[in-house]
Amino acid sequence: MWYVIEGYDGEQVLEARMGARAAHLARLQALLAQGRLLLAGPCPAIDAEDPGAAGFSGSVVIAEFTDLQAAREWADADPYVAAGVYARVEVRPFRKVLP
C-alpha cells in the first residue's frame, strides 16, 4: 500500500537540512530503484521554485510499504530526523486514484 510521509521542518534548520541532504536522497533513490517511490520533494517556505535563504517548510514522500508500521519505521530512520531538521513527521495511508 502507498503511504504519505510529511516531514515538517523546525525553525532555522536550512544548514542541517543541507548537511543531511545526500543521505536523505540516497534513501529515496533506494526506494525508487525498488519501484516503491511514487513522488518525493521539498516544500519551499515561500512561493518560489528556489526559496534561497527562506529554506523549506518540510517535505512530502509517497512510497509503498508493507504496512503503516513499516512506513513509520522508515520515516523515523530518515537522516532529516536524526539531524533535527524535522520538528514532526506524519505518516498515513494514501490511495492513488489519478493519474
Side-chain angles (χ1 to χ4, degrees):
M1 181 166 188
W2 296 106
Y3 293 88
V4 60
I5 300 168
E6 292 181 273
Y8 296 86
D9 284 20
E11 298 293 321
Q12 306 297 317
V13 295
L14 184 56
E15 187 175 327
R17 178 183 263 273
M18 294 297 100
R21 185 171 188 264
H24 171 79
L25 291 177
R27 295 179 79 233
L28 294 171
Q29 289 290 341
L31 287 177
L32 182 62
Q34 296 166 9
R36 296 172 45 208
L37 184 64
L38 184 62
L39 66 86
C43 301
I46 60 173
D47 189 13
E49 184 73 24
D50 179 359
F56 301 89
S57 63
S59 303
V60 175
V61 173
I62 300 179
E64 188 175 36
F65 295 92
T66 56
D67 55 35
L68 183 58
Q69 183 62 35
R72 285 183 175 146
E73 289 173 3
W74 187 90
D76 288 345
D78 193 290
Y80 284 172
V81 172
V85 173
Y86 293 154
R88 78 181 204 282
V89 177
E90 294 183 10
V91 180
R92 59 189 184 277
F94 177 80
R95 194 178 88 176
K96 183 178 184 268
V97 175
L98 294 170

